[in-house]
């Protein structure tokens, strides 16, 4: 790892520590607004943390592009050059209602290739980070690569709507696993895979929900895509599937078969 990369990692870790302190201190005085509905929330903390991180990034790298959830930063024409992808608070509903089970995420991509990923579980003070050739770490501890388990031998993270409505037969896929879990926070779902606690995740996500986690999953040889097995667009919300190589293949096969069946019924 080169000196520039080491410096970038050190800077980002410091930013995330500061952002985490902001989230903790702001919780008792948060103001909450709805975006699309009563469960799709944004707080002053989301906005303040995003502004803070963007200022730090532009001081560090004035030429960097930003893709982020709030304040008109949610679209980019391309991923050319160096792009920082930010989710200031992932799991905002958890943050507001529970005061825990949320995280701050940041990823660095260069010409569309993931170079660094960071998922910071603020209340547990656990930073999961790494990148290609670097490894995956929890704080200063290097994590072992999870076992490549099949669907039947592990827990599956799922989006509650997809599971509840059996959309794309997600409930049936969940029933083939050892059990389903719904955290309401994409970052923590992806962390569960990195720790070997879950074998997969199916949801409906935006780029800032999956960008950091995908860098880390890839370093561990895990797979991810849209539900058709194609590349993620990094533009708007889209259905997402990820998992161990074995579980991913099983889930994708089942999804593909049933999506074809649904097409025939129409």
């Amino acid at each position: 790892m080169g000196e520039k990369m080491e410096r970038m990692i050190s800077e980002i870790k410091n930013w995330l520590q500061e952002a985490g302190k902001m989230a903790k201190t702001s919780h008792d005085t948060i103001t909450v607004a709805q975006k699309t509905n009563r469960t799709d929330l944004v707080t002053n903390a989301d906005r303040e943390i995003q502004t803070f991180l963007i200022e730090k990034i532009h001081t560090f790298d004035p030429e960097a592009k930003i893709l982020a959830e709030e304040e008109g930063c949610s679209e980019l024409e391309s991923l050319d050059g160096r792009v920082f992808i930010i989710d200031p608070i992932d799991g905002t509903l958890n943050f507001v209602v529970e005061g825990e089970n949320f995280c701050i995420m940041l990823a660095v991509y260069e010409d569309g290739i993931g170079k660094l990923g960071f998922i910071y579980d603020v209340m547990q003070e656990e930073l999961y980070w790494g990148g290609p050739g670097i490894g995956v770490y929890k704080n200063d501890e290097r994590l072992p690569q999870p076992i490549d388990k099949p669907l039947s031998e592990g827990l599956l993270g799922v989006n509650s709507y997809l599971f509840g409505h059996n959309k794309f037969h997600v409930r049936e896929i969940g029933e083939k696993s050892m059990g389903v879990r719904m955290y309401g926070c994409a970052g923590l779902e992806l962390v569960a895979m990195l720790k070997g606690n879950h074998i997969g995740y199916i949801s409906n996500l935006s780029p800032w929900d999956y960008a950091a986690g995908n860098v880390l999953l890839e370093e561990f040889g895990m797979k991810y895509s849209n539900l058709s097995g194609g590349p993620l667009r990094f533009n708007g919300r889209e259905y997402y599937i990820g998992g161990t190589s074995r579980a991913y293949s099983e889930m994708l096969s089942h999804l593909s078969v049933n999506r074809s069946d649904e097409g025939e019924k129409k």
Side-chain angles (χ1 to χ4, degrees):
M1 182 166 45
E3 186 177 330
K4 287 184 179 179
M5 182 66 78
E6 287 184 1
R7 179 169 169 254
M8 188 185 303
I9 291 169
S10 177
E11 290 280 348
I12 293 171
K13 285 181 177 180
N14 289 335
W15 304 340
L16 293 175
Q17 291 285 342
E18 288 190 56
K21 291 176 184 176
M22 292 171 65
K24 287 179 180 178
T25 57
S26 69
H27 183 264
D28 293 335
T29 58
I30 55 173
T31 57
V32 182
Q34 295 183 16
K35 291 198 279 189
T36 59
N37 58 60
R38 67 186 180 86
T39 63
D40 184 16
L41 305 179
V42 62
T43 71
N44 56 312
D46 292 85
R47 296 188 175 107
E48 289 166 7
I49 288 171
Q50 180 168 303
T51 298
F52 165 79
L53 290 172
I54 290 174
E55 288 175 353
K56 290 293 187 180
I57 290 165
H58 280 159
T59 298
F60 178 78
D61 182 357
E63 303 299 317
K65 295 180 183 177
I66 304 292
L67 180 62
E69 183 171 11
E70 313 298 344
E71 304 297 316
C73 297
S74 60
E75 292 184 7
L76 275 181
E77 289 186 5
S78 79
L79 294 180
D80 294 345
R82 181 179 289 164
V83 180
F84 286 75
I85 304 177
I86 303 166
D87 194 338
I89 294 183
D90 179 48
T92 300
L93 187 58
N94 292 351
F95 172 66
V96 171
V97 177
E98 299 179 325
E100 60 181 348
N101 299 318
F102 66 92
C103 58
I104 301 171
M105 296 194 286
L106 188 150
V108 182
Y109 280 65
E110 293 182 1
D111 295 324
I113 305 298
K115 298 297 184 181
L116 292 171
F118 299 81
I119 302 174
Y120 184 38
D121 183 340
V122 174
M123 302 311 292
Q124 297 298 319
E125 297 185 352
E126 293 176 349
L127 176 62
Y128 296 85
W129 65 278
I134 297 171
V136 178
Y137 292 80
K138 181 180 80 171
N139 294 333
D140 295 326
E141 172 194 356
R142 185 163 184 163
L143 295 178
Q145 182 163 329
I147 298 169
D148 184 14
K149 294 179 180 178
L151 181 62
S152 63
E153 294 181 14
L155 299 172
L156 177 66
V158 295
N159 169 281
S160 60
Y161 180 86
L162 296 180
F163 184 83
H165 293 264
N166 199 24
K167 197 168 178 65
F168 306 122
H169 298 257
V170 166
R171 188 190 303 159
E172 294 163 28
I173 294 172
E175 288 169 352
K176 292 178 182 294
S177 72
M178 294 186 75
V180 300
R181 298 293 182 267
M182 303 174 191
Y183 288 172
C185 176
L188 297 185
E189 296 280 12
L190 297 170
V191 162
M193 293 166 59
L194 298 171
K195 292 160 68 174
N197 292 349
H198 291 184
I199 45 76
Y201 181 41
I202 305 175
S203 193
N204 183 19
L205 305 178
S206 297
W208 39 86
D209 295 317
Y210 58 69
N214 282 358
V215 177
L216 307 179
L217 293 181
E218 197 161 335
E219 177 65 3
F220 272 159
M222 294 186 178
K223 307 293 184 184
Y224 57 84
S225 69
N226 63 28
L227 296 195
S228 299
L232 297 162
R233 300 192 315 266
F234 283 80
N235 182 20
R237 291 186 73 82
E238 56 191 316
Y239 294 113
Y240 175 98
I241 179 173
T244 65
S245 184
R246 294 172 71 186
Y248 168 85
S249 297
E250 290 178 68
M251 292 188 292
L252 190 62
S253 174
H254 193 72
L255 284 164
S256 299
V257 168
N258 284 296
R259 290 181 81 196
S260 297
D261 289 346
E262 283 191 344
E264 290 173 9
K265 290 174 185 175
K266 292 176 182 177

